[in-house]
Amino acid sequence: MSTTRRLWLGLAALLIVGFGTLLWMGGEIHRQAPPMPEAVVTADGTTIYTRAEIERGRQVWQSIGGQQLGSIWGHGALVAPDWTADGLHREAVAWLDLRAQSAYAKPYDALGEGDRAKLQAELKPLIRSNTYDANTRRIVVSDERAQAIAQVSAHYRSLFSDDPATHALRETYAMRENTVPDESHRRAIGAFFWWASWATVTHRPDDVVSYTQNWPYEPLVGNTPTSSSFLWTVFSVLFMIAGIGLLGWHYAVWHGKEAPATPPAVDPLRALVPTPSMQATAKYFWLVLALFLVQILLGATTAHYQVEGQQAYGVAISDFLPYSLTRSWHTQLAVLWIAVAWLATGLYIGPAVSGREPKFQRLGVNVLFTCLLIIVVGAFTGQWFAVMQKLGLEHNFWFGHQGWEYTDIGRFWQWFLFIGLLLWLFLVGRALWPALRRKDEMSSIIGLLFLSTVAIGLLFGAGLMWNEHTHISMVEYWRWWVVHLWVEGFFEVFAAAVISFIFVKLGLIRGKTATINVLFATIIFMAGGILGTFHHLYFTGTTTAVIALGASFSALEVVPLALIGLEAYDTWKHGRATPWMQRYRWPILFFLSVSFWNLVGAGLFGFLINTPLALYYMQGLNLTPLHGHTALFGVYGMLGIGLLLFCVRGLKPDAVWNEKLLSGSFWTLNIGLTLMAVLTLLPMGLLQLRAALEHGYWYARSAEFMGKPIFDLLVWMRVPGDTIFSIGAVLVSWFVFRLWVAPKRKAALPAGEAEIT
């Protein structure tokens, strides 16, 4: 049996076992999710909240931005608090104050250390006790707790209104005035926050840990890391070391066994004539750069909200462009422009691979482009109406804001995008089909390219697996299928296959070697990537098995990054293999930067936060966007730009490239991203981590802590990095613009290439 065949069988087995386990655990998560009560009542039967109120509160929360305005269970925006941690702490303090007044006639804070410790010890079993009755489906609370709940509810009703008493807090949280205009909706959002907080502290039946594995850290009520968090953190490190050792052994034994290919004397792709559909992809790349520039502008606006709260240099921007909206658009555009770059590459590569232009292919490319424009404009317009509370809850889920970070466009627009991806799959698939039928050294790479195209087209459908009232634990489960597996998984496979195809077509590596490398890399990546999805779900109302599987396999995601320097060296060698490769210098250099940011952003900063114990304290702190920014843009963004430049080289083969513009863009993008990470996100995250360890998670996200002058300074320190980064985006955009508007053309072809034209 050939090596290629064995690798294909290994990949098939891995995917079957991996996705089978992922689906099986989804069933376990569904069965053991925190219960949704029909009512929350006192011992005498007085109703505090009904299920309808809790459900309505979640709808209200989603309509104002959901995870884009603060967070629930740690996943979301960072300026406003985590509402579950905030609500838990406020309820505990209110309850302790009531008991202190009853026992000592003093506020809790006025008591001595011993008396405070005594009250805490008494409160812990009361607040952690599970009083949910599975028969009546009710949660029963004491009259004393009901009073504490009422105080917290009053606070949220004031906060989400335009009450002057909480104006300063709204400013710190970057919330617009009268965020929720309807009084009944404000009460309902408090009900939802209470239920989500209740799940974080209440013991599971017949267990001594809460539904969220004792997250967040809250010393007042005994929320501390579980033994399984310690245990699986240790094992995850061991798994990572073992994986790196095995990969290093494999590399030492197998790498370089085959003699390197001899590059051709001339550029093989100079003979490629772009077909009409390939030429039609040009507009996609213009859209990529337009979305990129808008995303940067929205990112700057979102960051500035951390300084002025509701204004931008004196303009009351929150009245018409609230923080939750700018952040929604910023995060969605980050995925959209990168995805469009990769989709356009697929449409460009398809006919180039097969040498065939399918009938009506150009029409399909143009129709898909029109659909993308309609989706972006329609979805973003619906979100504006939703956040401004002009849409109504009955229409919000379908046309407004779903509230789930990265997957928060309305369901109608999600379906539209899914249909668009199926159209893309059809267009790329039929262009690749003639090449798939050929049996040569490129067959496996083209097969993997085709399968990754299928996965990209279909896997987005995981975002359609929940409805408006699906349990939040299950929504998080399916949402990370999209964010982790769709964005980080199969796009990665697609990119690896595309880059390998490019190097083979350029004659820099042999097809057989590229096939084995890509299949092996896919197996290694998917070994950690599929079940590594669980590391996003440690504390979202899931089971202990999620921690075990997530910790074990997410650590393996770092393994292929351990030898990233060698991959980078190979990429650099390809770029210097022959003089005519200077034509592809800048795409190659952007591929090289992908290797660097894979190691730093995805590897170092990723592993920093993805073990159970680390994530217990760091989830939702600025160390999370440190990983997010450096991995999402550093890896996928740089790769998108590299693919864009490669395709543009083929679309405008005779245009003279402005090397100074591209050099400036390359270095300013990389330097700007580095400064953004080192000067702001890393120090802010470390300060928050220390605060969380010393006082509890709520404090690290509180207005009291985040309002300190040091954080204003750190936000302003983003300006140099953001400015430099923005210059890089403008330079690459101007470069592409000039290729179509008044481009410079060569007077003659380089020596040795005249015979190709």
Side-chain angles (χ1 to χ4, degrees), residues 232 235-236 239-240 528 538 547-557:
W232 290 107
F235 275 104
S236 70
F239 292 145
M240 182 188 69
Y538 291 153
I547 286 185
L549 288 169
S552 302
F553 288 92
S554 65
L556 296 180
E557 293 181 30

Side-chain angles (χ1 to χ4, degrees), residues 90-417:
R90 289 182 183 277
E91 182 183 347
V93 170
W95 200 346
L96 287 169
D97 266 335
L98 289 170
R99 297 181 73 84
Q101 290 289 356
S102 174
Y104 303 102
K106 291 181 181 180
Y108 173 75
D109 286 342
L111 299 179
E113 185 176 343
D115 292 332
R116 289 202 303 271
K118 178 177 180 294
L119 290 179
Q120 283 184 42
E122 293 172 350
L123 176 65
K124 179 180 173 180
L126 296 176
I127 199 170
R128 299 187 70 85
S129 176
N130 193 334
T131 58
Y132 173 74
D133 188 326
N135 295 319
T136 63
R137 304 189 66 180
R138 290 183 166 194
I139 297 174
V140 181
V141 301
S142 66
D143 291 339
E144 193 175 50
R145 186 171 191 179
Q147 293 179 55
I149 292 172
Q151 290 184 32
V152 179
S153 176
H155 166 74
Y156 288 132
R157 291 201 304 274
S158 171
L159 179 64
F160 285 88
S161 70
D162 55 2
D163 185 355
T166 46
H167 169 75
L169 205 53
R170 281 192 295 278
E171 240 182 3
T172 305
Y173 292 162
M175 293 170 58
R176 73 186 185 95
E177 294 298 310
N178 221 17
T179 305
V180 180
D182 188 285
E183 168 62 25
S184 65
H185 287 179
R186 291 196 289 269
R187 171 180 161 79
I189 204 172
F192 171 64
F193 288 169
W194 181 82
W195 172 82
S197 299
W198 172 85
T200 67
V201 71
T202 302
H203 284 162
R204 288 181 177 274
D206 304 318
D207 207 340
V208 292
V209 299
S210 76
Y211 288 100
T212 59
Q213 303 294 325
N214 288 358
W215 188 93
Y217 176 51
E218 178 51 84
L220 279 182
V221 295
N223 253 19
T224 56
T226 63
S227 57
S228 61
S229 295
F230 283 95
L231 177 68
W232 290 107
T233 294
V234 173
F235 275 104
S236 70
V237 175
L238 293 178
F239 292 145
M240 182 188 69
I241 294 172
I244 291 173
L246 287 172
L247 185 62
W249 170 82
H250 177 272
Y251 187 89
V253 171
W254 294 99
H255 186 74
K257 290 184 69 174
E258 188 177 57
T262 301
V266 294
D267 178 3
L269 295 184
R270 280 302 296 265
L272 179 66
V273 178
T275 67
S277 71
M278 293 169 67
Q279 292 174 336
T281 62
K283 64 178 74 68
Y284 283 77
F285 297 116
W286 304 338
L287 179 61
V288 164
L289 295 171
L291 295 179
F292 184 25
L293 293 174
V294 174
Q295 189 231 344
I296 290 173
L297 179 62
L298 289 167
T301 305
T302 302
H304 189 78
Y305 266 118
Q306 291 183 263
V307 178
E308 289 196 69
Q310 295 177 332
Q311 298 186 337
Y313 303 104
V315 177
I317 190 173
S318 64
D319 290 345
F320 55 89
L321 203 62
Y323 169 86
S324 63
L325 195 63
T326 64
R327 191 178 190 275
S328 298
W329 292 349
H330 174 67
T331 55
Q332 287 167 57
L333 285 174
V335 175
L336 275 172
W337 78 257
I338 293 171
V340 171
W342 293 15
L343 297 180
T345 300
L347 294 171
Y348 177 87
I349 287 288
V353 170
S354 65
R356 176 177 172 269
E357 172 85 344
K359 193 174 182 180
F360 301 121
Q361 183 79 353
R362 182 179 182 180
L363 175 63
V365 170
N366 290 334
V367 168
L368 180 59
F369 180 79
T370 303
C371 290
L372 288 174
L373 290 179
I374 294 172
I375 290 167
V376 172
V377 174
F380 283 20
T381 301
Q383 289 185 327
W384 184 88
F385 278 99
V387 171
M388 299 303 290
Q389 298 291 281
K390 298 177 183 293
L391 190 60
L393 296 184
E394 63 274 17
H395 304 300
N396 178 69
F397 178 76
W398 278 92
F399 300 101
H401 202 306
Q402 284 197 50
W404 308 112
E405 188 182 30
Y406 294 110
T407 58
D408 41 17
I409 61 176
R411 175 53 54 86
F412 172 82
W413 303 109
Q414 275 187 316
W415 271 108
F416 198 165
L417 181 54

Side-chain angles (χ1 to χ4, degrees), residues 646-720:
F646 172 79
C647 295
V648 165
R649 171 57 82 186
L651 289 170
K652 291 289 184 180
D654 297 325
V656 176
W657 280 26
N658 189 323
E659 298 286 322
K660 290 183 179 179
L661 279 179
L662 286 175
S663 176
S665 174
F666 176 81
W667 289 110
T668 50
L669 286 172
N670 281 282
I671 292 171
L673 184 59
T674 301
L675 293 177
M676 184 192 312
V678 173
L679 296 184
T680 299
L681 297 176
L682 180 59
M684 285 178 75
L686 292 176
L687 287 172
Q688 283 185 296
L689 176 59
R690 180 177 178 180
L693 291 168
E694 292 181 351
H695 302 288
Y697 183 83
W698 71 274
Y699 182 70
R701 294 281 300 272
S702 68
E704 177 185 355
F705 183 70
M706 294 302 293
K708 292 179 180 292
I710 181 63
F711 286 99
D712 285 348
L713 174 62
L714 288 173
V715 173
W716 279 113
M717 287 177 67
R718 277 193 64 158
V719 172

Side-chain angles (χ1 to χ4, degrees), residues 7-18:
L7 288 172
W8 271 113
L9 290 174
L11 178 60
L14 174 67
L15 293 176
I16 291 170
V17 173

Side-chain angles (χ1 to χ4, degrees), residues 584-744:
Y584 302 99
R585 178 190 178 197
W586 292 108
I588 294 290
L589 280 175
F590 274 98
F591 296 158
L592 193 67
S593 70
V594 169
S595 299
F596 171 79
W597 289 110
N598 238 329
L599 176 62
V600 175
L604 296 179
F605 294 152
F607 193 70
L608 171 67
I609 65 172
N610 77 3
T611 59
L613 194 57
L615 202 58
Y616 180 84
Y617 293 107
M618 299 181 194
Q619 181 169 280
L621 304 185
N622 273 280
L623 294 173
T624 301
L626 171 68
H627 162 60
H629 281 74
T630 52
L632 183 59
F633 181 78
V635 178
Y636 302 106
M638 292 292 188
L639 185 54
I641 293 175
L643 293 174
L644 177 151
L645 292 175
F646 172 79
C647 295
V648 165
R649 171 57 82 186
L651 289 170
K652 291 289 184 180
D654 297 325
V656 176
W657 280 26
N658 189 323
E659 298 286 322
K660 290 183 179 179
L661 279 179
L662 286 175
S663 176
S665 174
F666 176 81
W667 289 110
T668 50
L669 286 172
N670 281 282
I671 292 171
L673 184 59
T674 301
L675 293 177
M676 184 192 312
V678 173
L679 296 184
T680 299
L681 297 176
L682 180 59
M684 285 178 75
L686 292 176
L687 287 172
Q688 283 185 296
L689 176 59
R690 180 177 178 180
L693 291 168
E694 292 181 351
H695 302 288
Y697 183 83
W698 71 274
Y699 182 70
R701 294 281 300 272
S702 68
E704 177 185 355
F705 183 70
M706 294 302 293
K708 292 179 180 292
I710 181 63
F711 286 99
D712 285 348
L713 174 62
L714 288 173
V715 173
W716 279 113
M717 287 177 67
R718 277 193 64 158
V719 172
D722 286 2
T723 302
I724 293 171
F725 185 87
S726 301
I727 291 171
V730 171
L731 290 177
V732 72
S733 301
W734 181 250
F735 164 79
V736 173
F737 175 77
R738 286 300 306 272
L739 289 180
W740 269 267
V741 179
K744 293 182 180 180

